[in-house]
Amino acid sequence: MQRLYPSALIISALALTACSSDDDNKAVVLPEPDTFSQVRIIHASADAPVVNILANGGELLKDVDYAQSSGLLQVTSAEYNIAIDAQLPGDETQEVFTAFLDAEADMEYTAVAVGSVAGNTLDLALIENAKADIAADYARVQVLHGTVGVGEVDVYVTGVDADISMMSPTLSLDYMAYTDQIELAAGEYQIRITAADQKAVVYDSGNVTLMSQTDYLLTAITNVWSGSSPVALLAALPEGQVLIQDKDAGADLRVVHAVADAPAVDVFLDGSMTPAVDMLAFKQVTGFLNVPEGDHTVTVAADADNSVVVIDAAEVTLEQGMSYSAYAVGSLTDSDISPLIVMESPRRIATAAKLNVAHTSYSAGNVDIYLTATDDISDATPALSDVPFMATSGALSITAGDYVVSVTPHDSKTVAIGPLPVSLMAGGIYSVAAVDNMGGGVPLGVILMDDFVAK
């Protein structure tokens, strides 16, 4: 390949040669200019934990979660040993995958972690594309099938609401296969996925906009959010990503009756006269109900007499794909009942258990929560300290094993709840809410949810 150097540099080199004697002449070695490549990492393994990415032993990326893309990172063209380290509970890490990359100049490399940790099918799909401009008024699209456990699929990329019943698929892909980069006129599209040679749609994007001169890598990934579709689409952009869920994914909502002195209740959504939940008693928990995303009102009334309203049209906003628990908390005696809306994390992690703790005991005051190997907490440090009423822990990542849960008043070793032996399995989700005794006050108790009560 010919290289063109600035004329001033050439003149300087000639001058150095002219000033030297023949005996002192030494070759002038000009440094090769740096060349660059672009590298992108996408986390598409649904049961893998948050990961760190290392390149030649140095940290390239940190805290990459499921359905996240690094965007295109510029790196010097060179050989790289890539390692993926899983973040485990207790600030531990474990190398779960390695790969070698010989990054050439003016190339884009996308490494997509796919498969299942629990299923021992973790793998890396490596996509290489030469850098190229996108034509004006066009978008560039590439599609990867990254949904483990789903076989060959047909993909229809059409105008909005086009009838696909007599249409041939735009493309067909098996697991880990990907298309070439395709240029499409910028505009409005609808993306639908079916099983191979079938017309029943298992994923429907609804209306999506492909922007002019924008590069999209669309990866079909496992849906771990709300809705019945097995698939979601992750659109990786040169910077960041957009998650495109099924248009009917809605949001998942469950209701927990945590008011110890209240009777059974009915729960109404959006002013409906028909209860979404009928006759929910203290300590009972509904399953997750799928409702449209957006703004809603929640009304809670006594089951025996719906004119006795204890929560009147409380406003909640539910995001597409998200899961929520709505706790009714407080005291009927004190006329102090309110909703506590908690966003849940339903994705299961193969390397850890998830533990969720909610303080919904009206009379308990601030508490300390212990998670220990035995019921002796005399020298133990609380896992959660000074937890106030209506506070929640979020999803705690816990090493699988047998534990004892104890709850005490803050700065006390007197156990108010427990000792409660629990077994936490990797990949499990465990939720517990501290509540008053039936009718209010002590002795305090708990509501167990998710895998604590799963059959």
Side-chain angles (χ1 to χ4, degrees):
M1 180 175 67
Q2 289 183 330
R3 300 184 184 276
L4 302 180
Y5 296 97
S7 58
L9 185 60
I10 296 173
I11 294 169
S12 298
L14 291 173
L16 286 172
T17 304
C19 292
S20 302
S21 66
D22 291 341
D23 294 337
D24 295 333
N25 278 350
K26 294 181 179 179
V28 177
V29 179
L30 299 174
E32 289 284 336
D34 284 339
T35 58
F36 296 97
S37 311
Q38 290 184 308
V39 174
R40 173 168 52 197
I41 308 293
I42 298 175
H43 186 333
S45 173
D47 68 348
V50 174
V51 299
N52 303 328
I53 312 297
L54 286 75
N56 291 344
E59 189 174 273
L60 179 65
L61 294 166
K62 187 174 177 63
D63 300 331
V64 182
D65 205 349
Y66 179 59
Q68 287 187 346
S69 168
S70 66
L72 289 169
L73 308 174
Q74 182 168 281
V75 299
T76 302
S77 301
E79 296 180 346
Y80 293 95
N81 290 307
I82 305 294
I84 300 177
D85 284 357
Q87 295 184 12
L88 305 178
D91 296 325
E92 298 291 325
T93 61
Q94 177 181 338
E95 185 176 275
V96 293
F97 204 89
T98 60
F100 174 77
L101 174 63
D102 185 2
E104 299 181 1
D106 299 322
M107 293 289 292
E108 296 176 356
Y109 299 91
T110 298
V112 187
V114 296
S116 167
V117 175
N120 198 30
T121 59
L122 194 64
D123 208 340
L124 204 66
L126 182 61
I127 302 173
E128 304 179 12
N129 293 308
K131 291 181 65 177
D133 293 332
I134 304 173
D137 300 322
Y138 280 81
R140 185 161 59 208
V141 177
Q142 190 167 27
V143 182
L144 165 69
H145 181 347
T147 309
V148 64
V150 175
E152 186 176 0
V153 297
D154 292 338
V155 182
Y156 296 82
V157 183
T158 70
V160 177
D161 294 332
D163 183 2
I164 66 170
S165 61
M166 302 300 292
M167 189 182 297
S168 296
T170 309
L171 54 99
S172 299
L173 287 173
D174 210 344
Y175 177 57
M176 285 192 68
Y178 57 89
T179 68
D180 294 331
Q181 291 180 313
I182 306 166
E183 290 202 348
L184 298 173
E188 306 297 315
Y189 290 90
Q190 187 170 1
I191 303 169
R192 282 165 281 189
I193 299 175
T194 72
D197 301 322
Q198 302 296 316
K199 292 296 183 180
V201 175
V202 299
Y203 168 84
D204 187 340
S205 70
N207 190 332
V208 296
T209 302
L210 298 181
M211 302 295 293
S212 176
Q213 295 188 297
T214 303
D215 209 335
Y216 299 89
L217 173 60
L218 302 179
T219 302
I221 63 175
T222 302
N223 178 30
V224 297
W225 302 276
S226 64
S228 60
S229 175
V231 175
L233 279 185
L234 183 65
L237 305 171
E239 295 183 1
Q241 73 284 316
V242 176
L243 183 65
I244 308 172
Q245 294 171 308
D246 185 273
K247 68 181 182 66
D248 295 321
D252 284 345
L253 176 69
R254 70 179 173 187
V255 182
V256 185
H257 188 331
V259 182
D261 61 352
V265 298
D266 297 337
V267 181
F268 301 85
L269 294 178
D270 302 322
S272 172
M273 300 302 292
T274 302
V277 178
D278 185 39
M279 203 167 63
L280 186 70
F282 174 55
K283 285 192 173 184
Q284 286 188 331
V285 182
T286 70
F288 280 101
L289 312 172
N290 189 258
V291 297
E293 71 270 17
D295 296 330
H296 296 274
T297 62
V298 177
T299 298
V300 179
D303 174 70
D305 182 358
N306 284 170
S307 68
V308 180
V309 176
V310 294
I311 298 177
D312 188 8
E315 296 181 354
V316 297
T317 299
L318 307 179
E319 297 181 27
Q320 185 190 42
M322 297 296 101
S323 298
Y324 302 85
S325 291
Y327 292 82
V329 298
S331 168
L332 180 62
T333 303
D334 292 346
S335 300
D336 184 18
I337 297 179
S338 59
L340 170 63
I341 309 297
V342 178
M343 185 176 288
E344 300 291 356
S345 177
R347 183 170 79 94
R348 296 176 180 271
I349 307 299
T351 54
K354 282 184 174 180
L355 177 64
N356 305 283
V357 182
H359 181 350
T360 58
S361 171
Y362 182 73
S363 63
N366 289 17
V367 299
D368 294 339
I369 300 171
Y370 293 83
L371 189 66
T372 53
T374 71
D375 59 8
D376 181 8
I377 64 169
S378 56
D379 295 322
T381 300
L384 300 168
S385 180
D386 201 15
V387 180
F389 176 56
M390 295 181 68
T392 60
S393 68
L396 305 174
S397 182
I398 307 294
T399 301
D402 296 327
Y403 297 92
V404 177
V405 177
S406 304
V407 181
T408 72
H410 178 52
D411 280 342
S412 169
K413 295 293 185 177
T414 301
V415 176
I417 298 176
L420 178 66
V422 297
S423 293
L424 307 181
M425 304 289 291
I429 297 176
Y430 304 88
S431 298
V432 56
V435 292
D436 285 359
N437 190 29
M438 174 74 78
V442 295
L444 304 182
V446 296
I447 302 173
L448 298 177
M449 292 166 278
D450 299 315
D451 290 351
F452 276 136
V453 295
K455 301 300 183 184

PDB file of all heavy atoms in Angstrom, residues 378-400:
ATOM      1  N   SER A 378     -25.313 -12.776  67.967  1.00  0.00           N
ATOM      2  CA  SER A 378     -24.695 -11.946  69.020  1.00  0.00           C
ATOM      3  C   SER A 378     -23.497 -11.162  68.515  1.00  0.00           C
ATOM      4  O   SER A 378     -23.268 -10.020  68.936  1.00  0.00           O
ATOM      5  CB  SER A 378     -24.298 -12.812  70.215  1.00  0.00           C
ATOM      6  OG  SER A 378     -23.442 -13.871  69.808  1.00  0.00           O
ATOM      7  N   ASP A 379     -22.725 -11.742  67.609  1.00  0.00           N
ATOM      8  CA  ASP A 379     -21.554 -11.039  67.073  1.00  0.00           C
ATOM      9  C   ASP A 379     -21.719 -10.695  65.591  1.00  0.00           C
ATOM     10  O   ASP A 379     -20.745 -10.293  64.937  1.00  0.00           O
ATOM     11  CB  ASP A 379     -20.301 -11.901  67.251  1.00  0.00           C
ATOM     12  CG  ASP A 379     -19.944 -12.113  68.719  1.00  0.00           C
ATOM     13  OD1 ASP A 379     -20.105 -11.160  69.492  1.00  0.00           O
ATOM     14  OD2 ASP A 379     -19.535 -13.241  69.076  1.00  0.00           O
ATOM     15  N   ALA A 380     -22.914 -10.839  65.079  1.00  0.00           N
ATOM     16  CA  ALA A 380     -23.143 -10.641  63.640  1.00  0.00           C
ATOM     17  C   ALA A 380     -23.417  -9.178  63.323  1.00  0.00           C
ATOM     18  O   ALA A 380     -23.940  -8.416  64.154  1.00  0.00           O
ATOM     19  CB  ALA A 380     -24.305 -11.503  63.171  1.00  0.00           C
ATOM     20  N   THR A 381     -23.055  -8.800  62.118  1.00  0.00           N
ATOM     21  CA  THR A 381     -23.375  -7.474  61.581  1.00  0.00           C
ATOM     22  C   THR A 381     -24.609  -7.596  60.702  1.00  0.00           C
ATOM     23  O   THR A 381     -24.686  -8.513  59.879  1.00  0.00           O
ATOM     24  CB  THR A 381     -22.203  -6.922  60.751  1.00  0.00           C
ATOM     25  OG1 THR A 381     -21.049  -6.826  61.575  1.00  0.00           O
ATOM     26  CG2 THR A 381     -22.535  -5.556  60.167  1.00  0.00           C
ATOM     27  N   PRO A 382     -25.580  -6.715  60.859  1.00  0.00           N
ATOM     28  CA  PRO A 382     -26.790  -6.850  60.040  1.00  0.00           C
ATOM     29  C   PRO A 382     -26.504  -6.702  58.554  1.00  0.00           C
ATOM     30  O   PRO A 382     -25.668  -5.890  58.139  1.00  0.00           O
ATOM     31  CB  PRO A 382     -27.710  -5.743  60.555  1.00  0.00           C
ATOM     32  CG  PRO A 382     -26.832  -4.784  61.273  1.00  0.00           C
ATOM     33  CD  PRO A 382     -25.674  -5.572  61.794  1.00  0.00           C
ATOM     34  N   ALA A 383     -27.208  -7.494  57.757  1.00  0.00           N
ATOM     35  CA  ALA A 383     -27.108  -7.335  56.302  1.00  0.00           C
ATOM     36  C   ALA A 383     -27.740  -6.027  55.866  1.00  0.00           C
ATOM     37  O   ALA A 383     -27.293  -5.392  54.907  1.00  0.00           O
ATOM     38  CB  ALA A 383     -27.792  -8.516  55.611  1.00  0.00           C
ATOM     39  N   LEU A 384     -28.795  -5.609  56.565  1.00  0.00           N
ATOM     40  CA  LEU A 384     -29.458  -4.328  56.324  1.00  0.00           C
ATOM     41  C   LEU A 384     -29.682  -3.680  57.676  1.00  0.00           C
ATOM     42  O   LEU A 384     -30.231  -4.306  58.597  1.00  0.00           O
ATOM     43  CB  LEU A 384     -30.792  -4.529  55.601  1.00  0.00           C
ATOM     44  CG  LEU A 384     -30.738  -5.199  54.231  1.00  0.00           C
ATOM     45  CD1 LEU A 384     -32.144  -5.598  53.772  1.00  0.00           C
ATOM     46  CD2 LEU A 384     -30.092  -4.284  53.204  1.00  0.00           C
ATOM     47  N   SER A 385     -29.285  -2.420  57.812  1.00  0.00           N
ATOM     48  CA  SER A 385     -29.337  -1.750  59.112  1.00  0.00           C
ATOM     49  C   SER A 385     -30.245  -0.542  59.069  1.00  0.00           C
ATOM     50  O   SER A 385     -30.297   0.183  58.064  1.00  0.00           O
ATOM     51  CB  SER A 385     -27.922  -1.319  59.531  1.00  0.00           C
ATOM     52  OG  SER A 385     -27.941  -0.669  60.780  1.00  0.00           O
ATOM     53  N   ASP A 386     -30.962  -0.320  60.183  1.00  0.00           N
ATOM     54  CA  ASP A 386     -31.777   0.874  60.373  1.00  0.00           C
ATOM     55  C   ASP A 386     -32.789   1.044  59.241  1.00  0.00           C
ATOM     56  O   ASP A 386     -32.935   2.119  58.670  1.00  0.00           O
ATOM     57  CB  ASP A 386     -30.876   2.106  60.491  1.00  0.00           C
ATOM     58  CG  ASP A 386     -31.557   3.282  61.183  1.00  0.00           C
ATOM     59  OD1 ASP A 386     -32.607   3.063  61.816  1.00  0.00           O
ATOM     60  OD2 ASP A 386     -31.053   4.419  61.065  1.00  0.00           O
ATOM     61  N   VAL A 387     -33.509  -0.031  58.946  1.00  0.00           N
ATOM     62  CA  VAL A 387     -34.453  -0.045  57.828  1.00  0.00           C
ATOM     63  C   VAL A 387     -35.784   0.539  58.307  1.00  0.00           C
ATOM     64  O   VAL A 387     -36.405  -0.007  59.233  1.00  0.00           O
ATOM     65  CB  VAL A 387     -34.665  -1.473  57.301  1.00  0.00           C
ATOM     66  CG1 VAL A 387     -35.649  -1.475  56.146  1.00  0.00           C
ATOM     67  CG2 VAL A 387     -33.325  -2.087  56.883  1.00  0.00           C
ATOM     68  N   PRO A 388     -36.279   1.611  57.689  1.00  0.00           N
ATOM     69  CA  PRO A 388     -37.537   2.215  58.137  1.00  0.00           C
ATOM     70  C   PRO A 388     -38.752   1.541  57.513  1.00  0.00           C
ATOM     71  O   PRO A 388     -38.649   0.793  56.540  1.00  0.00           O
ATOM     72  CB  PRO A 388     -37.408   3.665  57.659  1.00  0.00           C
ATOM     73  CG  PRO A 388     -36.583   3.558  56.417  1.00  0.00           C
ATOM     74  CD  PRO A 388     -35.613   2.422  56.652  1.00  0.00           C
ATOM     75  N   PHE A 389     -39.904   1.829  58.080  1.00  0.00           N
ATOM     76  CA  PHE A 389     -41.181   1.366  57.541  1.00  0.00           C
ATOM     77  C   PHE A 389     -41.324   1.807  56.092  1.00  0.00           C
ATOM     78  O   PHE A 389     -40.982   2.935  55.728  1.00  0.00           O
ATOM     79  CB  PHE A 389     -42.314   1.942  58.399  1.00  0.00           C
ATOM     80  CG  PHE A 389     -43.700   1.637  57.903  1.00  0.00           C
ATOM     81  CD1 PHE A 389     -44.112   0.324  57.687  1.00  0.00           C
ATOM     82  CD2 PHE A 389     -44.603   2.659  57.667  1.00  0.00           C
ATOM     83  CE1 PHE A 389     -45.399   0.046  57.245  1.00  0.00           C
ATOM     84  CE2 PHE A 389     -45.900   2.391  57.231  1.00  0.00           C
ATOM     85  CZ  PHE A 389     -46.294   1.080  57.022  1.00  0.00           C
ATOM     86  N   MET A 390     -41.802   0.899  55.240  1.00  0.00           N
ATOM     87  CA  MET A 390     -42.036   1.104  53.806  1.00  0.00           C
ATOM     88  C   MET A 390     -40.742   1.178  53.000  1.00  0.00           C
ATOM     89  O   MET A 390     -40.765   1.580  51.832  1.00  0.00           O
ATOM     90  CB  MET A 390     -42.895   2.347  53.540  1.00  0.00           C
ATOM     91  CG  MET A 390     -44.313   2.222  54.075  1.00  0.00           C
ATOM     92  SD  MET A 390     -45.364   3.670  53.763  1.00  0.00           S
ATOM     93  CE  MET A 390     -45.525   3.579  51.970  1.00  0.00           C
ATOM     94  N   ALA A 391     -39.623   0.740  53.569  1.00  0.00           N
ATOM     95  CA  ALA A 391     -38.380   0.643  52.798  1.00  0.00           C
ATOM     96  C   ALA A 391     -38.250  -0.770  52.245  1.00  0.00           C
ATOM     97  O   ALA A 391     -38.745  -1.743  52.823  1.00  0.00           O
ATOM     98  CB  ALA A 391     -37.174   0.976  53.661  1.00  0.00           C
ATOM     99  N   THR A 392     -37.576  -0.888  51.100  1.00  0.00           N
ATOM    100  CA  THR A 392     -37.330  -2.181  50.479  1.00  0.00           C
ATOM    101  C   THR A 392     -35.854  -2.305  50.126  1.00  0.00           C
ATOM    102  O   THR A 392     -35.170  -1.310  49.893  1.00  0.00           O
ATOM    103  CB  THR A 392     -38.184  -2.364  49.209  1.00  0.00           C
ATOM    104  OG1 THR A 392     -37.866  -1.331  48.274  1.00  0.00           O
ATOM    105  CG2 THR A 392     -39.668  -2.321  49.534  1.00  0.00           C
ATOM    106  N   SER A 393     -35.384  -3.533  50.075  1.00  0.00           N
ATOM    107  CA  SER A 393     -33.957  -3.774  49.858  1.00  0.00           C
ATOM    108  C   SER A 393     -33.557  -3.721  48.400  1.00  0.00           C
ATOM    109  O   SER A 393     -32.387  -3.533  48.079  1.00  0.00           O
ATOM    110  CB  SER A 393     -33.578  -5.148  50.418  1.00  0.00           C
ATOM    111  OG  SER A 393     -34.191  -6.189  49.652  1.00  0.00           O
ATOM    112  N   GLY A 394     -34.519  -3.908  47.488  1.00  0.00           N
ATOM    113  CA  GLY A 394     -34.140  -4.220  46.120  1.00  0.00           C
ATOM    114  C   GLY A 394     -33.629  -5.647  46.070  1.00  0.00           C
ATOM    115  O   GLY A 394     -33.583  -6.359  47.085  1.00  0.00           O
ATOM    116  N   ALA A 395     -33.229  -6.107  44.898  1.00  0.00           N
ATOM    117  CA  ALA A 395     -32.787  -7.487  44.724  1.00  0.00           C
ATOM    118  C   ALA A 395     -31.342  -7.631  45.194  1.00  0.00           C
ATOM    119  O   ALA A 395     -30.414  -7.136  44.550  1.00  0.00           O
ATOM    120  CB  ALA A 395     -32.921  -7.906  43.268  1.00  0.00           C
ATOM    121  N   LEU A 396     -31.154  -8.299  46.325  1.00  0.00           N
ATOM    122  CA  LEU A 396     -29.816  -8.560  46.855  1.00  0.00           C
ATOM    123  C   LEU A 396     -29.268  -9.840  46.222  1.00  0.00           C
ATOM    124  O   LEU A 396     -29.962 -10.863  46.181  1.00  0.00           O
ATOM    125  CB  LEU A 396     -29.867  -8.717  48.377  1.00  0.00           C
ATOM    126  CG  LEU A 396     -30.492  -7.562  49.170  1.00  0.00           C
ATOM    127  CD1 LEU A 396     -30.593  -7.933  50.646  1.00  0.00           C
ATOM    128  CD2 LEU A 396     -29.688  -6.289  48.986  1.00  0.00           C
ATOM    129  N   SER A 397     -28.037  -9.779  45.752  1.00  0.00           N
ATOM    130  CA  SER A 397     -27.386 -10.949  45.165  1.00  0.00           C
ATOM    131  C   SER A 397     -26.723 -11.748  46.282  1.00  0.00           C
ATOM    132  O   SER A 397     -25.822 -11.263  46.965  1.00  0.00           O
ATOM    133  CB  SER A 397     -26.348 -10.505  44.130  1.00  0.00           C
ATOM    134  OG  SER A 397     -25.738 -11.617  43.522  1.00  0.00           O
ATOM    135  N   ILE A 398     -27.177 -13.005  46.485  1.00  0.00           N
ATOM    136  CA  ILE A 398     -26.756 -13.817  47.618  1.00  0.00           C
ATOM    137  C   ILE A 398     -26.174 -15.140  47.112  1.00  0.00           C
ATOM    138  O   ILE A 398     -26.745 -15.784  46.216  1.00  0.00           O
ATOM    139  CB  ILE A 398     -27.942 -14.123  48.559  1.00  0.00           C
ATOM    140  CG1 ILE A 398     -28.663 -12.828  48.971  1.00  0.00           C
ATOM    141  CG2 ILE A 398     -27.476 -14.905  49.776  1.00  0.00           C
ATOM    142  CD1 ILE A 398     -27.851 -11.906  49.824  1.00  0.00           C
ATOM    143  N   THR A 399     -25.051 -15.557  47.686  1.00  0.00           N
ATOM    144  CA  THR A 399     -24.486 -16.864  47.379  1.00  0.00           C
ATOM    145  C   THR A 399     -25.467 -17.952  47.806  1.00  0.00           C
ATOM    146  O   THR A 399     -26.035 -17.893  48.900  1.00  0.00           O
ATOM    147  CB  THR A 399     -23.148 -17.057  48.104  1.00  0.00           C
ATOM    148  OG1 THR A 399     -22.235 -16.031  47.700  1.00  0.00           O
ATOM    149  CG2 THR A 399     -22.530 -18.409  47.782  1.00  0.00           C
ATOM    150  N   ALA A 400     -25.686 -18.932  46.950  1.00  0.00           N
ATOM    151  CA  ALA A 400     -26.613 -20.016  47.274  1.00  0.00           C
ATOM    152  C   ALA A 400     -26.171 -20.724  48.547  1.00  0.00           C
ATOM    153  O   ALA A 400     -24.978 -20.911  48.811  1.00  0.00           O
ATOM    154  CB  ALA A 400     -26.688 -21.004  46.109  1.00  0.00           C
TER     155      ALA A 400
END
